[in-house]
Amino acid sequence: MLLRTDKPNIRSYALDDLRAFFEEKGEKAFRANQVFQWVWQKHAKSFGDMTNLGKDLRAFLQEHFLITELDVLSEQHSNDGTVKSAFSLSDGKVVEGVLIPADSRMTACISSQVGCSLDCKFCATAQLKMMRNLNPDEIYDQVVAISRQADQKFGQPLSNIVFMGMGEPLLNFKNVSTAIQHIMSEQGLGMSYKRITVSTSGVAKMIRRLGEDRVKYRLAISLHAADNEKRSQIMSINNTNPLEDLADALKFYYAETGSPVTYEYILFRDFNDSEEDARNLIRFSKHVPSKINIIEYNPVEGSPFRQTDPERLERFRRLLENAGITATVRRSRGKDIDAACGQLANKTAS
Ligand code: SAH
């Protein structure tokens, strides 16, 4: 549905702004709290749903504001339990989010942008053009929708959120931060910052900003190569944010927050899986306290890369381990439905 109107979305208001607006219009400020609860916790789809408000107030809201919610356009179920959803936004655009169930956790992998402006050579989202940033409510609603799936399909609450879907979260920083505030707030989902991870391709300036803001949520860096020449070949962001700048930004971030970081490292056969590559990674990872997530490459159409073989993967992991580094291997989930890392490309919706 296309909405053409000048009315603001009520969910673009912070609670204090909504209270001020109510007061200015001669309404009681505490009503703003009730409205806030309806839009952020009780998932009202229309002002008519807000049954503890008087008719006049509902009409007043209707006159001044829009209310929008994400629609689940389609759901795909992997044979490993992973659920990929396509969400349609109020302007008809589509983003994807994934629920990844595991024994002890239910993780939502969510998107921050429609498409992506970066062109990482191994990522399917890069093949879509960058269309727009998601609004805070669109980010939040993905979490709500995926958390419902966790409840309904697995009888378990959502435990973790990772910004590893479509888009570069640090290039939509303001909206991502507002969404995270709502996700953490008692008036929102009340989730702990420890359970939220923002993954970035390495926008050095914004990593410094996270440090300045002393953010508490977790930070993951998509590293994938620890020498400039190789990294620039696969991630053009490295041309403007070389490893030296990334390291400096991370040192600042760590000094301000005291939080260790996670490096994500996809192993590509005969590209970044040699002993020398491991030594470079070990060296880079010493800049700040960190751990390493070795990621299995998920083949993407049109990309020249191949997965490394199990022996080379194990050798690589052992080299890290012998250097005293905590390294885990992340085997991808949901591959049969293109829901794995780097495979989100709106295939079903296009
Ligand atoms: N832009 C952010 C978040 C999205 S990517 C970032 O770059 O971190 C989320 C993770 O999926 C990143 O670590 C990314 O490098 C990884 N990824 C992308 N394509 C992949 C692929 N084909 N196989 C495995 N992981 C991939």
Side-chain angles (χ1 to χ4, degrees), residues 31-99:
R31 292 278 181 206
N33 296 36
Q34 289 175 313
V35 173
F36 209 71
Q37 213 178 25
W38 276 111
V39 297
W40 293 107
Q41 288 189 319
K42 300 202 228 165
H43 317 303
K45 284 188 192 288
S46 75
F47 295 111
D49 286 349
M50 303 182 180
T51 46
N52 61 351
L53 305 180
K55 236 178 160 180
D56 290 352
L57 182 54
R58 282 187 261 167
F60 166 86
L61 292 171
Q62 181 75 41
E63 192 187 322
H64 287 91
F65 297 104
L66 273 180
I67 181 165
T68 57
E69 221 204 25
L70 280 191
D71 284 327
V72 181
L73 195 64
S74 66
E75 259 181 30
Q76 283 174 279
H77 297 253
S78 160
N79 49 27
D80 66 16
T82 302
V83 182
K84 177 167 86 168
S85 305
F87 300 111
S88 74
L89 310 172
S90 55
D91 63 357
K93 296 201 163 42
V94 175
V95 285
E96 293 175 338
V98 184
L99 167 65

Side-chain angles (χ1 to χ4, degrees), residues 118 122-123 163-165 167-169 199-201 222 224 264 266 295-298 300 330 341-342:
L118 305 176
F122 45 81
C123 179
F163 282 80
M164 296 187 188
E168 169 48 54
S199 175
T200 178
S201 55
S222 294
H224 309 320
E264 298 163 273
I266 307 174
I295 304 175
E296 204 178 54
Y297 171 60
N298 299 309
V300 163
R330 187 166 90 203
C341 293

Side-chain angles (χ1 to χ4, degrees), residues 150-171:
D151 275 339
Q152 285 166 3
K153 296 180 205 299
F154 300 95
Q156 282 185 53
L158 198 65
S159 58
N160 297 72
I161 301 173
V162 295
F163 282 80
M164 296 187 188
M166 296 173 162
E168 169 48 54
L170 296 191
L171 294 179

Side-chain angles (χ1 to χ4, degrees), residues 109-122:
C109 173
I110 60 172
S111 296
S112 55
Q113 298 180 312
V114 190
C116 189
S117 60
L118 305 176
D119 67 343
C120 304
K121 301 290 178 282
F122 45 81

Side-chain angles (χ1 to χ4, degrees), residues 239-294:
N239 291 317
T240 44
N241 294 257
L243 289 167
E244 299 72 31
D245 293 4
L246 184 57
D248 284 347
L250 286 167
K251 284 181 201 160
F252 177 78
Y253 167 86
Y254 181 74
E256 295 298 316
T257 62
S259 306
V261 301
T262 301
Y263 295 111
E264 298 163 273
Y265 193 97
I266 307 174
L267 272 185
F268 301 111
R269 184 174 193 156
D270 299 331
F271 179 78
N272 65 355
D273 60 351
S274 71
E275 269 191 59
E276 191 193 342
D277 294 315
R279 277 197 301 275
N280 287 338
L281 177 57
I282 291 164
R283 201 172 314 121
F284 190 85
S285 75
K286 300 246 158 101
H287 287 303
V288 294
S290 59
K291 61 176 188 190
I292 296 174
N293 230 324
I294 301 173

